[in-house]
Amino acid sequence: MEDPFEKRKSRGPRAGRLLAIDAWIDSSLYEAGFKARQFWETMTIFFRRFRVTGWRRGIIELLSEGFTMGAAGSVILLALALPAFDETTGNWRQQDDFAVTFLDRYGNEIGQRGIIQRDSVPVDEMPDFVIKAVLATEDRRFFEHYGIDFLGLFRAMSENVRANSVVQGGSSITQQLAKNLFLTNERTVERKIKEAFLSVWLETNLSKKEILQLYLDRAYMGGGTFGIAAAADFYFGKQVKDLNLPEAAMLAGLFKAPTKYAPHINLPAARARANVVLTNLVQSGFMTEGQVLSARLHPADVVDRGDRKSPDYFLDWAFDEVKRVAARSGNHSVVARTTIDMNIQRAVEESLEFHLRQYGKQYHVTEGAVVVLENNGAVRAIVGGRDYGASQFNRATKALRQAGSSFKPYVYATAMEHGFTPDSVISDGPISWGAWSPKNYGRSFSGRLTLTTALVKSVNTVPVRLAKDYLSIPPIKAMAEAMGVESPLEAYKTMVLGTSGMTVMDQATGYNTMADGGFAGTRHGITQLVTHSGELIYDYDKDAPKPKRVLSEQAMSYMNSMLVQVPEIGTARRAALPGIRSAGKTGTTQSYRDAWYVGFTGNYTAAVWLGNDDFSTTKDMTGGSLPAMVWQRFMAYAHQNIDLKPIPGIKDPFVDAKVAAKAAETEKKNAEEAAAAAEIERPPVLSSTTTKALRQMTDFFHAAPVLEAPAEPKTLSAL
């Protein structure tokens, strides 16, 4: 038993130090807490002196919340704008040093690019009234704001509300320049945010004079011209320094809508617009009514340019092609012979505009784009939008839009290469791929189907089942790229139903592989490049890479045998051509944002897209409705008076009697709907040499003296 009176052994100096440290920590924490509470109480008593009550408190609370939300909004706006600043890293000041004159496939001049952009006249050397006319119309407070004119924006909104329409724009010159240099014309909130930030960036990095100089040199002025110097030469045959006030007012009026007010197309409208500019000069205080009176009474006359209308969307794309091809030669001043057929180009423009005018409101659709290729790969027409003057953004070659069901042929082509046939049977039943459960358009299922039936009826579950159970995504992606799709495709399972963004040019190129017998790599827009001295520096037939087969003959034949049934008994009956067999596929994306029809005959391949720039939904527009109608109208025209070729793998280019009857019925219906439009007649096509000779003969006959008939001999009775 332990003795309670026995002394315990000491714990030693180490235990004592630990107890001392513990006591110090406890006392320190207590003192710190006490001082903190004391400090907080002192601060609370101090700030009570500033406490407000009543209505003042409400104001303080609103300001506090406003600052908080403003700070959060600034962070969000900055995050959205950061991608735009990537555009400023390049040499955006430098303009292209190429000077290219373009000819169509028959040798007729159709426009220029490069040289008309380089002619620049310093702002200090321009007449004073030229600068005043531009500022009075486009941005009266240009020298007072810092990129964004809030007062001007408020004034424009007030005028638009008063007029119940858009009569004034609120964008400053700096904002317009930011859009021209770095952005596109797509009407989205994200683009407007980027435009605002880039405007402030331009104001920070450039002087007002430099901003104005760039704006005057880079703006599109109609007639294929960029910059006020080129426009002065094109419309008036003068340098900017030699312009008078009426001419300056007419040019200043072009910045708003260069196509609508181009004087060589609509001189009365251009003069009316110039009169508005003169009024702006007076209202802004830059000039008096007496100073502009003479210009009102004697409006400007323009150089006669005939009916010249440049295919500007095609020229923009072809200009990039020339720079790519000619860069290796070192020659930057060249004449390019292109593949464009101006007759087909005009027919495509007419068909797109006609249908958008007739049915645009009904379907709630405002824009479209078309690419037409001859089946040898030659690009015959490009339409990148309704109005190049309103928007130079090329929707045919740059806009990435979801392809919808028009992507399915790439899936089926991959299946044909992996041993499937048009008669192979696949289940059309409910399917889930992970968390994704795609449905058919009609929300119903049909059981077991052949691949032909599934493609013709545009069944969704069948291509998904092919990709999931038999093919996988990588070979489908590889097949689309091999067939000519250049847009980045997302290697994700939903890709099989067309969720990846593609251009209209991609679609036309890809389908052209099936129209050209399974060969890819034939698409081209330039056939020859020559210098002005006649030296040949590029010839497509000799210098271009040779085409390569990407679809076997069997797979190509299988695909075409299925696709020809789509316009005959499938989803694209409105695209059926009278008496001519065609093939194609419709496409409609989620919420009806995009509608496609891509099709081909033995002669031509064409892709049509319709939608809205702001990605808003259309009103139940499918690929088999308006896009098919647009396609049918210009393709029927393109096949007039030409030798019809059969689709590869299809023996006869003509439809049989039953299909012809259905096509005739469709054509009759379309003709009745288009009765208000002028009928297109295919004009005879002559070379430039023949045309020149005929004109010389005409001038000779007009200049020849009139020969009088000899007097009749008098008869005996008359004597």
Side-chain angles (χ1 to χ4, degrees), residues 115-153:
I115 188 67
I116 56 177
Q117 291 178 293
R118 270 199 344 267
D119 300 332
S120 177
V121 176
V123 171
D124 293 335
E125 297 181 16
M126 296 183 188
D128 183 60
F129 51 75
V130 172
I131 305 301
K132 287 181 177 179
V134 174
L135 295 180
T137 305
E138 297 299 313
D139 190 354
R140 298 179 187 179
R141 302 182 65 255
F142 174 68
F143 288 100
E144 299 172 22
H145 62 69
Y146 200 73
I148 303 174
D149 184 10
F150 293 102
L151 292 179
L153 180 62

Side-chain angles (χ1 to χ4, degrees), residues 226-265:
F226 288 82
I228 195 168
D233 178 66
F234 179 78
Y235 294 120
F236 307 116
K238 294 181 177 181
Q239 295 186 8
V240 176
K241 304 174 185 179
D242 301 325
L243 292 174
N244 55 38
L245 180 57
E247 294 165 344
M250 189 170 287
L251 290 182
L254 292 175
F255 288 94
K256 179 180 180 180
T259 301
K260 180 179 180 180
Y261 298 118
H264 70 302
I265 295 176

Side-chain angles (χ1 to χ4, degrees), residues 102-105 110 113 310-321 336-342 345 349 370-373 378-384 388 394 396-397 505 524-527:
F102 290 96
L103 311 178
D104 66 7
R105 64 180 299 194
I110 55 174
R113 283 294 184 272
S310 298
D312 291 307
Y313 288 115
F314 176 88
L315 293 180
D316 287 348
W317 174 79
F319 189 41
D320 291 334
E321 293 291 295
R337 193 181 189 103
T338 71
T339 57
I340 190 172
D341 186 317
M342 288 302 298
Q345 175 75 22
E349 292 172 353
V370 183
V371 171
V372 180
L373 308 181
V379 180
R380 297 305 186 200
I382 294 178
V383 176
Y388 185 83
N394 197 333
T397 61
M505 181 65 80
H524 60 286
I526 308 297
T527 56

Side-chain angles (χ1 to χ4, degrees), residues 631-684:
W631 189 93
Q632 195 275 344
R633 184 176 176 88
F634 70 74
M635 285 291 270
Y637 164 79
H639 286 78
Q640 293 179 14
N641 304 323
I642 63 173
D643 294 329
L644 297 178
K645 300 176 183 179
I647 296 172
I650 308 298
K651 294 181 180 180
D652 194 348
F654 301 99
V655 297
D656 58 34
K658 293 182 180 179
V659 176
K662 290 183 180 179
E665 182 180 350
T666 302
E667 173 65 15
K668 181 180 179 181
K669 182 179 179 180
N670 291 343
E672 291 174 354
E673 293 175 345
E679 183 180 358
I680 308 176
E681 297 182 0
R682 188 179 185 89

Side-chain angles (χ1 to χ4, degrees), residues 36-51:
R37 289 191 296 272
Q38 190 177 32
F39 175 78
W40 179 256
E41 185 176 357
T42 303
M43 294 300 296
T44 302
I45 294 172
F46 175 77
F47 279 106
R48 281 175 182 171
R49 303 175 184 177
F50 303 100
R51 180 176 296 178

Side-chain angles (χ1 to χ4, degrees), residues 44-327:
T44 302
I45 294 172
F46 175 77
F47 279 106
R48 281 175 182 171
R49 303 175 184 177
F50 303 100
R51 180 176 296 178
V52 293
T53 58
W55 61 271
R56 294 184 181 87
R57 181 178 179 83
I59 295 176
I60 295 299
E61 291 293 337
L62 287 175
L63 289 176
S64 177
E65 293 298 325
F67 282 124
T68 302
M69 296 179 64
S74 298
V75 172
I76 295 173
L77 291 178
L78 183 60
L80 292 173
L82 282 177
F85 291 111
D86 293 337
E87 301 289 341
T88 65
T89 57
N91 189 7
W92 49 269
R93 287 175 177 264
Q94 182 179 355
Q95 299 188 64
D96 296 305
D97 59 350
F98 280 82
V100 185
T101 300
F102 290 96
L103 311 178
D104 66 7
R105 64 180 299 194
Y106 303 111
N108 303 300
E109 184 175 338
I110 55 174
Q112 293 179 323
R113 283 294 184 272
I115 188 67
I116 56 177
Q117 291 178 293
R118 270 199 344 267
D119 300 332
S120 177
V121 176
V123 171
D124 293 335
E125 297 181 16
M126 296 183 188
D128 183 60
F129 51 75
V130 172
I131 305 301
K132 287 181 177 179
V134 174
L135 295 180
T137 305
E138 297 299 313
D139 190 354
R140 298 179 187 179
R141 302 182 65 255
F142 174 68
F143 288 100
E144 299 172 22
H145 62 69
Y146 200 73
I148 303 174
D149 184 10
F150 293 102
L151 292 179
L153 180 62
F154 178 77
R155 182 184 66 250
M157 292 175 59
S158 302
E159 291 295 330
N160 294 338
V161 170
R162 186 181 304 171
N164 199 25
S165 64
V166 180
V167 295
Q168 285 190 16
S171 296
S172 66
I173 282 179
T174 312
Q175 288 177 277
Q176 295 179 56
L177 178 62
K179 181 182 68 174
N180 293 339
L181 290 178
F182 306 116
L183 304 173
T184 69
N185 285 76
E186 291 183 325
R187 296 189 295 271
T188 61
V189 175
E190 183 180 0
R191 195 217 78 191
K192 293 299 291 183
I193 294 172
K194 291 179 179 179
E195 180 183 290
F197 274 88
L198 287 171
S199 299
V200 177
W201 184 88
L202 285 172
E203 292 279 351
T204 304
N205 290 272
L206 300 178
S207 67
K208 287 289 187 179
K209 184 183 293 185
E210 289 176 317
I211 292 173
L212 183 59
Q213 184 74 62
L214 283 171
Y215 179 72
L216 294 175
D217 288 344
R218 303 292 182 91
Y220 179 65
M221 303 290 285
T225 62
F226 288 82
I228 195 168
D233 178 66
F234 179 78
Y235 294 120
F236 307 116
K238 294 181 177 181
Q239 295 186 8
V240 176
K241 304 174 185 179
D242 301 325
L243 292 174
N244 55 38
L245 180 57
E247 294 165 344
M250 189 170 287
L251 290 182
L254 292 175
F255 288 94
K256 179 180 180 180
T259 301
K260 180 179 180 180
Y261 298 118
H264 70 302
I265 295 176
N266 192 343
L267 185 58
R271 286 177 170 172
R273 176 64 179 165
N275 197 50
V276 173
V277 173
L278 294 174
T279 301
N280 291 337
L281 279 168
V282 176
Q283 292 179 348
S284 61
F286 291 155
M287 301 184 78
T288 65
E289 183 62 41
Q291 290 174 307
V292 304
L293 180 59
S294 178
R296 293 189 193 276
L297 298 176
H298 303 91
D301 289 314
V302 298
V303 175
D304 185 11
R305 298 289 181 182
D307 295 327
R308 171 184 168 182
K309 184 178 180 182
S310 298
D312 291 307
Y313 288 115
F314 176 88
L315 293 180
D316 287 348
W317 174 79
F319 189 41
D320 291 334
E321 293 291 295
V322 169
K323 288 187 287 186
R324 179 179 59 83
V325 172

Side-chain angles (χ1 to χ4, degrees), residues 2-13:
E2 184 179 359
D3 185 359
F5 299 102
E6 183 181 356
K7 292 183 178 181
R8 297 183 181 180
K9 294 181 181 180
S10 175
R11 297 185 181 180

Side-chain angles (χ1 to χ4, degrees), residues 472-548:
S472 77
I473 296 300
I476 297 173
K477 181 175 182 290
M479 174 60 73
E481 292 171 345
M483 292 173 69
V485 175
E486 298 176 354
S487 300
L489 297 174
E490 298 176 358
Y492 194 64
K493 53 194 173 187
T494 59
M495 180 187 71
V496 299
L497 295 185
T499 57
S500 288
M502 300 173 67
T503 65
V504 181
M505 181 65 80
D506 281 339
Q507 291 282 63
T509 305
Y511 277 63
N512 187 247
T513 299
M514 295 177 285
D516 196 24
F519 288 91
T522 61
R523 188 195 74 200
H524 60 286
I526 308 297
T527 56
Q528 286 184 337
L529 292 178
V530 298
T531 64
H532 288 279
S533 60
E535 177 187 357
L536 180 66
I537 60 176
Y538 172 81
D539 185 274
Y540 173 79
D541 293 330
K542 297 179 181 179
D543 302 324
K546 300 302 178 184
K548 56 185 182 298

